[in-house]
Amino acid sequence: MEAGALRVESSRQTTSRDPQPRMVGNSASMRRLFRVVSRIGPKDITVLVRGETGTGKELLASLVHAQSTRSSAPLVTFNCAAIPGELAEAELFGHARGAFTGAVEARRGFFAQADGGTLLLDEVGELPLPVQAKLLRVLQEGEIQPVGAGKVERVDVRVIACTNRNLASEVREGRFREDLFYRMAVVELVIPPLRDRREEIPALTAEFARRYGERFGNEDVRLSPALIELLCQSPWPGNVRELENAVARMVALGTGAEIGVEAFASAPSLVPASPVAKPTTEVTPSLREQIETLERTVIARTLAAVCGNQSEAARRLGLARGTLMDRLRRYGLENATADAVGGRPR
């Protein structure tokens, strides 16, 4: 019971009072998504936000609320996955005093708390079927009945639901009500995974570096070009959330104004390892070898871009000239600089 109560309390949260949530996205797919949000934000309709874990579903829902006519009212978040099924009904719709063991006083549910504003149902696919039926009634009739209460109450709430599941498949498998799905997905917003919009990674990393630099007292921190290129080539199975956590970690542990590739080399991988090693004849380069290959490529490209001018290349790469010379010797690029200008390296 204590564990359940703690999970309930942890889910009682509202979003920041910032009226304009900031969501970075400059790819064509995200620009199209933002245009749809600007059109449906002011219209009081139910919205379903779908996407993989870590893509920013809750942030997009906050953006919809911020552009609605309810923006001055609260945006209340209910995490459907954090509440045990037997408590979800009482938490959503409230309960009367004495409705069940431990209900020593009446409590307003999340719908009542969001009255006049927006209720965000995070991970809505986790709701048990009996609660889904009661949720459908609220969406259709605008009425709730607290557990153990003898009368219904009217509420004025806009619902935005988020899920990382394909609810259409859940309907076919009998785990989600078909009528609730169609009532909830009046407008469906699908956030593409980060691997499909890698061109946004430089802007995202700059935003996260600025944000955590301010938080950790290093406002001038920046990521080196080589590190940004490495981040752009990484898989990011955890999407934007994983990228943000990686940048936060590097900024927190960084000691200088610029963070290089070595900071990412020591970061823990979030890609799960296979529980059973499968025999293979392929030799996979180590992470250090891959980083060195990337670093060599970046240095060579930079030298070519500045016609072999080592001082200018060092400035662009954020390296001391002596450090660049060490890298040139390590990677066998001394002759490459001479070839770039048709003579002796500068």
Side-chain angles (χ1 to χ4, degrees):
M1 291 176 63
E2 289 178 356
L6 288 172
R7 285 194 293 269
V8 168
E9 289 304 318
S10 70
S11 71
R12 292 182 176 275
Q13 56 178 325
T14 57
T15 61
S16 167
R17 293 295 180 181
D18 184 359
Q20 291 296 331
R22 177 173 172 80
M23 189 171 187
V24 177
N26 53 20
S27 64
S29 59
M30 290 301 291
R31 289 198 300 270
R32 286 193 298 268
L33 192 60
F34 291 152
R35 285 196 294 269
V36 175
V37 168
S38 66
R39 289 198 295 269
I40 60 100
K43 300 176 176 63
D44 212 15
I45 56 176
T46 307
V47 177
L48 177 65
V49 182
R50 189 161 58 84
E52 295 180 6
T53 298
T55 50
K57 298 184 293 294
E58 187 173 343
L59 186 56
L60 187 67
S62 301
L63 194 61
V64 174
H65 172 74
Q67 298 191 21
S68 73
T69 57
R70 300 172 180 263
S71 57
S72 59
L75 169 62
V76 179
T77 301
F78 178 78
N79 188 342
C80 302
I83 306 297
E86 60 273 14
L87 294 178
E89 180 181 356
E91 287 303 309
L92 274 175
F93 310 118
H95 62 77
R97 182 173 180 270
F100 49 84
T101 303
V104 295
E105 61 181 5
R107 173 172 284 181
R108 298 171 70 231
F110 279 78
F111 268 100
Q113 295 175 40
D115 192 19
T118 303
L119 177 62
L120 171 58
L121 298 177
D122 196 16
E123 301 303 341
V124 69
E126 303 289 339
L127 282 178
L129 287 170
V131 181
Q132 292 179 26
K134 295 180 181 296
L135 177 59
L136 179 63
R137 177 183 177 182
V138 182
L139 295 177
Q140 291 178 334
E141 308 295 337
E143 296 178 344
I144 60 172
Q145 183 171 4
V147 177
K151 61 179 182 179
V152 299
E153 302 174 8
R154 292 201 62 82
V155 290
D156 176 23
V157 176
R158 181 185 191 176
V159 172
I160 302 176
C162 297
T163 183
N164 59 7
R165 298 185 179 186
N166 186 330
L167 291 188
S169 298
E170 295 291 299
V171 169
R172 289 191 293 270
E173 296 294 330
R175 292 189 292 265
F176 201 84
R177 291 180 61 102
E178 183 178 13
D179 47 4
L180 178 59
F181 169 69
Y182 288 118
R183 184 63 182 82
M184 189 168 288
V186 178
V187 174
E188 187 174 20
L189 304 177
V190 181
I191 306 179
L194 187 57
R195 61 181 174 273
D196 293 342
R197 45 190 176 105
R198 292 180 182 273
E199 64 270 32
E200 296 181 359
I201 290 179
L204 286 167
T205 55
E207 169 64 17
F208 295 146
R210 179 198 63 78
R211 184 183 306 172
Y212 288 100
E214 292 177 354
R215 181 178 302 181
F216 301 143
N218 188 6
E219 298 183 2
D220 296 328
V221 69
R222 63 183 182 276
L223 277 59
S224 71
L227 176 56
I228 293 176
E229 185 164 347
L230 177 60
L231 297 177
C232 290
Q233 295 184 8
S234 298
W236 303 116
N239 291 294
V240 179
R241 181 183 299 149
E242 183 187 357
L243 175 64
E244 179 179 0
N245 291 339
V247 174
R249 176 188 179 279
M250 291 186 289
V251 172
L253 297 179
T255 56
E258 182 173 89
I259 301 174
V261 293
E262 64 279 356
F264 187 66
S266 61
S269 174
L270 296 184
V271 181
S274 174
V276 179
K278 297 181 179 180
T280 178
T281 57
E282 181 181 357
V283 178
T284 302
S286 68
L287 178 59
R288 173 61 64 183
E289 290 172 332
Q290 295 180 58
I291 291 174
E292 289 179 348
T293 298
L294 174 61
E295 188 177 46
R296 185 186 190 281
T297 301
V298 172
I299 291 175
R301 288 177 180 173
T302 305
L303 283 167
V306 298
C307 299
N309 188 319
Q310 294 174 1
S311 298
E312 176 63 15
R315 187 189 68 80
R316 293 192 182 189
L317 292 169
L319 299 174
R321 192 172 186 276
T323 302
L324 177 61
M325 293 298 296
D326 290 340
R327 297 289 201 279
L328 295 178
R329 285 189 289 270
R330 179 192 303 177
Y331 299 136
L333 291 174
E334 293 173 297
N335 293 333
T337 62
D339 294 342
V341 295
R344 186 181 173 188
R346 287 184 286 175

